Amino acid sequence: MDSGEWPVPEPAVPAGTDAVLAEAARAAAAAFREARGRYSRAELGEKVEMGADGTATMRLDVLVDGRIVDVASAHGVNVLSEEIGVVDHGSARTLVVDPVDGTANAVAGVPLSAFSAAIVVDGVAREALTCWLDTGRCWHAVAGAPTPYRTSGRTTLDGAAVSLLRPHARNADAWWRVTRRAERVRILSSSCLEAALVTEGAVDAFADAGSDTHRLMDLVAAMVLVPAAGGVVCDAFGRPLEIHPDLTRRWSGVVAASAPLAEQLCAEIAAGTAELSGAQLTELIDGLAGLPYGGEAVDQRAHALQTAWHAVQAEADDELILAAALHDIGRARQVRAQFPDAAHEESGALFAQRYISERTGWLIAQHVPAKRYLVATDPGYAATLSPVSVASLRVQGGPMSPAEIADFDAHPDAADAVRLRRWDDAAKDPAAPTLPLQQVLDAYTRVCGRRTAQAYRG
């Protein structure tokens, strides 16, 4: 394929843009241009490896990401990329980047894909640049500094122009609630580009209507661009948008022209989905009955409630009790249906982040890594594992490396993740006590009550 048949212009990077952002955008466009000239569409879209976020990576992503990492390395800046993960140069500055947002569009020949990145300093996004690769248009902002962009300022969802991610079975009701109120709806399949269009007032809002698809890279540039232009970026379920190297974390991002419009979008998306009824939670846990637990002597339900019993005996708080009871909930039929492509600890974490709390979700996500941590740090731990758990350890990656141990230890809830893992290991005795289900429901009611009170105070 001749690259002249599929042109990729130089990015129109605004003057004054941070050198790393500017050079990374130009490197991304150059790699994008060269890849289009060298490979067919089928070759560009070939899934060649697994990305750091746990999803398959296309050839085009790898080619562009490599060039961006070269730029950051030349400047001694850290990188956090959905494809490569963390590249640590010991700098206070980190380039958080989506090399090609809208890769599926790009490889199909649809001219809706973007480079998008932010410079993060000590966990705070300071400057951002999004470049529409097919046109060269760029959007740039520095946190706290004047910007030429303004959102539309729209305050009502009724009659608004809204971009949305495509609907899934798990969020179809919420998706239709939003579309019934909006006047115009678009699906462009490039989150970073759609957020940039909110920045300049071309559309009133962009949202993931509750599917928990957005990763940090999809939102980090918007977290600088949109507030600078008078808009709001948030999660539909009120979870904080945090810059963190754990790329399995997901949000249902809402990018809106104003705070009132964001509130209306969040209300429509969360209506009927942000909280489970007691009957629904009971159905989930009871649905684990009879499900085999990897060759152990207990089924999934007994294992879950035994783990929760240990948590209560240890005087754990409600969020930790719920993490103990639901740490394997990703194996439940209803949760697997919502997150069909995720490992059970990841789907369970996504479920808990939506319905319980960010902390409970993190604890659930870590019950597998915590085993790897303990094998690496506790000389006697491996001898306590059942044969089934020893076999699964090999599949899970074996003992943690020193770098992984340091990263795990740095999290404020690491000690609780280790406690949960030990309760998990102990909950395999068919004769041992189990926590009455009502105590799990009571813990959930208390957590939801606190969450509601906090939301009203906010």
Side-chain angles (χ1 to χ4, degrees):
M1 179 185 299
D2 185 345
S3 61
E5 298 174 7
W6 202 355
V8 178
E10 278 294 305
V13 178
T17 299
D18 181 279
V20 176
L21 283 174
E23 290 180 30
R26 294 187 181 106
F32 192 61
R33 184 183 308 116
E34 292 167 17
R36 281 182 161 179
R38 180 178 177 184
Y39 296 99
S40 69
R41 294 181 186 180
E43 290 169 330
L44 289 174
E46 183 183 355
K47 295 176 180 177
V48 295
E49 59 186 56
M50 189 64 67
D53 66 344
T55 61
T57 299
M58 296 185 191
R59 185 188 306 277
L60 178 59
D61 291 312
V62 173
L63 293 170
V64 177
D65 208 17
R67 293 287 189 87
I68 293 168
V69 170
D70 289 344
V71 169
S73 297
H75 285 268
V77 172
N78 309 326
V79 179
L80 181 57
S81 164
E82 65 179 284
E83 316 304 342
I84 294 177
V86 178
V87 179
D88 188 356
H89 291 294
S91 173
R93 289 165 30 103
T94 299
L95 180 72
V96 181
V97 60
D98 192 338
V100 183
D101 179 59
T103 311
N105 283 343
V107 301
V110 177
L112 294 168
S113 56
F115 159 89
S116 191
I119 293 291
V120 172
V121 181
D122 296 328
V124 178
R126 302 292 189 184
E127 183 172 348
L129 178 69
T130 294
C131 172
W132 187 350
L133 290 167
D134 292 281
T135 68
R137 289 177 64 187
C138 290
W139 295 263
H140 168 257
V142 177
T147 177
Y149 315 114
R150 298 305 298 170
T151 72
S152 69
R154 187 174 186 87
T155 59
T156 58
L157 176 56
D158 296 303
V162 180
S163 282
L164 292 168
L165 294 188
R166 69 178 180 86
H168 299 264
R170 61 184 180 268
N171 73 321
D173 289 345
W175 198 90
W176 283 110
R177 282 196 298 271
V178 172
T179 60
R180 278 193 289 267
R181 292 185 60 181
E183 181 176 343
R184 292 183 178 86
V185 175
R186 297 179 177 90
I187 303 175
L188 305 184
S189 300
S190 177
S191 295
C192 299
L193 181 56
E194 290 168 283
L197 293 174
V198 176
T199 299
E200 66 172 30
V203 296
D204 300 313
F206 163 62
D208 170 1
S211 70
D212 282 354
T213 296
H214 278 144
R215 301 151 301 183
L216 172 62
M217 286 73 187
D218 298 310
L219 300 170
V220 69
M223 290 162 64
V224 179
L225 291 167
V226 176
V232 171
V233 181
C234 61
D235 171 71
F237 301 103
R239 298 164 298 195
L241 301 177
E242 297 175 327
I243 296 172
H244 192 278
D246 180 1
L247 298 183
T248 65
R249 298 176 71 175
R250 297 287 191 275
W251 293 271
S252 291
V254 172
V255 181
S258 67
L261 178 54
E263 291 168 5
Q264 291 174 44
L265 274 164
C266 290
E268 288 292 354
I269 293 168
T273 63
E275 189 170 318
L276 296 167
S277 68
Q280 288 172 315
L281 186 54
T282 298
E283 181 184 5
L284 271 172
I285 295 174
D286 284 347
L288 297 174
L291 289 180
Y293 179 46
E296 303 287 0
V298 293
D299 66 10
Q300 293 278 356
R301 184 182 187 277
H303 173 67
L305 295 177
Q306 274 190 32
T307 308
W309 182 87
H310 285 292
V312 170
Q313 301 313 300
E315 300 183 347
D317 60 79
D318 287 332
E319 288 181 324
L320 184 49
I321 291 170
L322 291 170
L326 303 175
H327 70 280
D328 285 333
I329 204 65
R331 294 193 170 103
R333 173 183 52 81
Q334 300 94 320
V335 179
R336 284 189 285 110
Q338 287 190 48
F339 309 101
D341 300 323
H344 85 280
E345 67 273 16
E346 296 170 4
S347 58
L350 291 168
F351 175 86
Q353 287 168 9
R354 175 181 295 183
Y355 294 109
I356 304 173
S357 71
E358 187 75 23
R359 176 170 172 253
T360 298
W362 185 85
L363 289 165
I364 288 174
Q366 297 306 307
H367 82 271
V368 171
K371 179 169 76 170
R372 299 180 57 227
Y373 172 87
L374 282 167
V375 170
T377 59
D378 182 346
Y381 174 75
T384 69
L385 296 177
S386 69
V388 172
S389 196
V390 170
S392 64
L393 175 65
R394 290 192 291 269
V395 177
Q396 292 157 351
M400 279 188 175
S401 68
E404 289 174 316
I405 292 169
D407 185 58
F408 184 89
D409 278 331
H411 196 281
D413 289 312
D416 282 339
V418 169
R419 295 170 74 199
L420 172 55
R421 181 67 227 183
R422 293 190 185 277
W423 301 332
D424 182 2
D425 292 329
K428 300 174 182 179
D429 182 355
T434 59
L435 190 70
L437 180 57
Q438 186 59 50
Q439 291 192 39
V440 178
L441 300 179
D442 291 345
Y444 182 67
T445 298
R446 290 190 294 269
V447 168
C448 287
R450 287 192 291 271
R451 184 176 62 183
T452 300
Q454 290 166 358
Y456 282 122
R457 286 198 297 272

